[in-house]
Amino acid sequence: MTDLGPLIPRNREAHPPAYDPAYKTTVSRSPNLPLLSMESGLSEETGPTFGHNKLGALDNNLILNWTKGAAPAVGERILMHGRVLDENGRAVPNTLIEIWQANAGGRYRHKKDGYLAPLDPNFGGCGRTITDENGGYQFLTVRPGAYPWPNRGNDWRPMHIHISVYGHSFGQRLITQMYFEGDPLINLCPIAATIKNRSQLDRLVAPLDMSASRPLDFLAYKFDIVLRGRRQTMFENKLEGM
Amino acid sequence: MVQKLDYLVETASQTAGPYVHIGLMPTYAGNAGYYDEEIATSPIADGAKGEVIEIVGSVFDGTGWALRDALLESWQPDAAGKFAGQEGADPAVTGHCRFAADADSGEFTLRTVKPGQVPARGGGFSAPHISLWICARGINIGLQTRIYFEDEDNSTDPLLARIEQRPRVDTLIAKKTADGKYRFDIRLQGEGETVFLDI
């Protein structure tokens, strides 16, 4: 049975609500009216693909990619790795994953970030890769620092890495954040707390993975990602041209 | 007890945050040259068939302020209604583009070809449209919407037909401002709130 069915409707309970006053910016940026729900069609069931030929050899190595390999970034060396699956439990191979993050001091290389912590001349803060045939991916990076942000009087972001995934269709598009096991700031963060279902938040916290850590080199954190799946029955109305 | 359903639950979304451009549009973030080849900088290459159009607009918050930090992605078929990867699709149309609100004016521009109509599930056709996905600081899960065109026949489009309050249909229709030029504003909240989708 191939990928012919519609996307499984998104379970909105698994996601944060649009409006959450503890995260102040949502107050004026959240739609008030209900979303229009509809069964997916070609516009959602197709999506962009990206070949390996677009990627450079260091694209998934944030320790080296900013300097094109000339000098390593400052910070605690970590491997971030995991698999991309869909709701049916199937691997999602050949899909683009992009990540971005602050440096070890908690500063982003972005024209709008003016935090006190200095830029690391050897760290850019983004990477990308394509999942292998089992949906697996890896990034070598440094542990990002926590940082303060203007929200309530004294809010801090826990250490986190932003992740963007496509899947195989535009309707599977997802951006999320990975947190680190044991970080006490997770439970104080109003952005993490936009997720009302605790087990859904727990699934964004990557455990330390000593089995994948390399002695005398890096620690590893494992982060699996689940994207929307598609219904797979033999009773679907097929779409012309699929 | 019943048998166990062994589906997985989708990973929860989190906001893309204010620095999303670093990861998705490095040149815009001030990091030109980060990658040898940045992706999705244009949905079309030279020689794309069809009418080249330019869509300009802003993303307004509930106070009427145009977001300076919004990042948008588009996905569309070619002029004949074929998506990249489908048999017979125009090789010069990837159909996918990332574009951002200007940091000073809050205006975005999408330059592309006008899409063709595509078959709808259950028969008939969807009127020509471009799918959009919008993210920014303060948006907890990417917002889906569509751009339709005022100079196309939208009367039988199955999605537009589902909008109960008919004046809201207008929020999804780009207004023609000149030959090949359209205006499409997105209102996140309040008067004229754009119809956002759950598809």
Side-chain angles (χ1 to χ4, degrees):
Chain A
M1 230 156 291
T2 51
D3 275 342
L4 286 178
L7 286 156
I8 296 170
R10 196 160 235 158
N11 173 10
R12 296 272 162 182
E13 302 297 317
H15 294 284
Y19 172 78
D20 189 343
Y23 177 18
K24 292 183 181 179
T25 313
T26 68
V27 172
S28 62
R29 295 186 172 192
S30 45
N32 289 331
L33 296 169
L35 305 178
L36 177 64
S37 297
M38 207 166 151
E39 193 159 67
S40 65
L42 277 172
S43 294
E44 297 76 34
E45 294 159 16
T46 55
T49 53
F50 308 95
H52 289 268
N53 58 335
K54 294 216 185 263
L55 302 191
L58 291 176
D59 280 5
N60 68 342
N61 183 340
L62 286 75
I63 290 179
L64 291 177
N65 67 12
W66 177 249
T67 62
K68 316 276 185 208
V74 171
E76 201 178 321
R77 297 163 63 84
I78 60 167
L79 177 80
M80 167 187 177
H81 76 117
R83 289 180 72 203
V84 181
L85 304 164
D86 70 16
E87 290 170 292
N88 297 312
R90 300 195 310 175
V92 182
N94 300 313
T95 189
L96 183 71
I97 303 187
E98 294 157 290
I99 66 170
W100 67 99
Q101 64 168 93
N103 68 21
R107 171 82 179 265
Y108 286 90
R109 187 176 285 280
H110 187 288
K111 58 186 177 183
K112 292 278 188 190
D113 189 359
Y115 181 40
L116 294 171
L119 286 173
D120 172 356
N122 298 332
F123 187 70
C126 71
R128 58 185 188 177
T129 191
I130 288 178
T131 55
D132 65 23
E133 66 275 15
N134 300 312
Y137 74 91
Q138 303 191 349
F139 290 98
L140 194 62
T141 185
V142 295
R143 189 197 293 267
Y147 58 86
W149 59 294
N151 188 54
R152 300 173 305 196
N154 188 17
D155 277 327
W156 290 70
R157 293 306 325 280
M159 302 176 286
H160 65 279
I161 295 177
H162 296 266
I163 302 139
S164 157
V165 198
Y166 276 89
H168 293 157
S169 66
F170 202 54
Q172 291 177 295
R173 194 84 181 82
L174 183 73
I175 284 184
T176 188
Q177 301 180 26
M178 178 189 104
Y179 301 105
F180 291 81
E181 178 182 5
D183 186 343
L185 292 172
I186 296 170
N187 287 335
L188 302 178
C189 175
I191 289 179
T194 59
I195 301 172
K196 303 308 173 193
N197 178 329
R198 182 70 212 196
S199 70
Q200 280 295 90
L201 173 57
D202 288 343
R203 290 178 55 218
L204 297 189
V205 183
L208 176 66
D209 177 2
M210 289 307 289
S211 298
S213 299
R214 181 187 285 164
L216 304 177
D217 189 344
F218 54 73
L219 287 173
Y221 285 87
K222 187 163 192 295
F223 190 71
D224 292 335
I225 299 160
V226 177
L227 302 179
R228 292 174 73 185
R230 294 179 69 165
R231 209 164 62 215
Q232 294 164 68
T233 72
M234 57 180 74
F235 298 107
E236 301 296 350
N237 296 318
K238 284 179 188 169
L239 273 162
E240 235 177 280
M242 283 294 284
Chain B
M1 290 289 282
V2 297
Q3 291 188 10
K4 192 173 168 348
L5 285 170
D6 56 359
Y7 296 105
L8 303 177
V9 179
E10 188 185 12
T11 299
S13 171
Q14 289 271 264
T15 181
Y19 307 125
V20 57
H21 317 94
I22 292 187
L24 306 189
M25 298 179 68
T27 299
Y28 175 93
N31 300 329
Y34 200 117
Y35 295 129
D36 293 341
E37 188 175 345
E38 201 162 316
I39 63 157
T41 52
S42 172
I44 52 172
D46 288 345
K49 296 186 190 78
E51 185 194 358
V52 174
I53 59 170
E54 213 172 80
I55 303 165
V56 175
S58 286
V59 182
F60 294 101
D61 72 10
T63 73
W65 175 251
L67 273 61
R68 269 54 176 175
D69 58 334
L71 184 148
L72 300 92
E73 288 185 351
S74 63
W75 174 243
Q76 64 165 94
D78 65 18
K82 294 281 186 194
F83 289 93
Q86 287 186 300
E87 205 176 317
D90 182 347
V93 176
T94 66
H96 180 49
C97 190
R98 288 171 171 169
F99 49 104
D102 182 84
D104 296 319
S105 70
E107 253 184 12
F108 63 77
T109 302
L110 171 63
R111 186 177 174 276
T112 185
V113 289
K114 202 172 197 194
Q117 62 176 10
V118 297
R121 192 172 288 286
F125 285 88
S126 293
H129 66 270
I130 298 173
S131 296
L132 287 187
W133 190 79
I134 304 156
C135 57
R137 173 173 60 96
I139 294 177
N140 287 330
I141 178 166
L143 294 169
Q144 296 170 277
T145 189
R146 287 182 177 181
I147 304 174
Y148 289 85
F149 300 90
E150 72 169 346
D151 53 350
E152 294 286 342
D153 177 7
N154 297 310
S155 60
T156 59
D157 182 82
L159 184 138
L160 295 177
R162 290 277 290 270
I163 299 172
E164 181 188 352
Q165 299 90 357
R166 299 314 292 166
R168 298 199 70 209
V169 171
D170 280 349
T171 69
L172 299 188
I173 297 181
K175 304 289 178 290
K176 192 163 186 170
T177 54
D179 260 4
K181 309 265 187 198
Y182 295 86
R183 177 89 199 175
F184 187 77
D185 287 320
I186 295 158
R187 291 184 172 77
L188 297 180
Q189 163 186 112
E191 195 179 336
E193 183 176 308
T194 298
V195 175
F196 294 105
L197 309 174
D198 174 38
I199 310 189

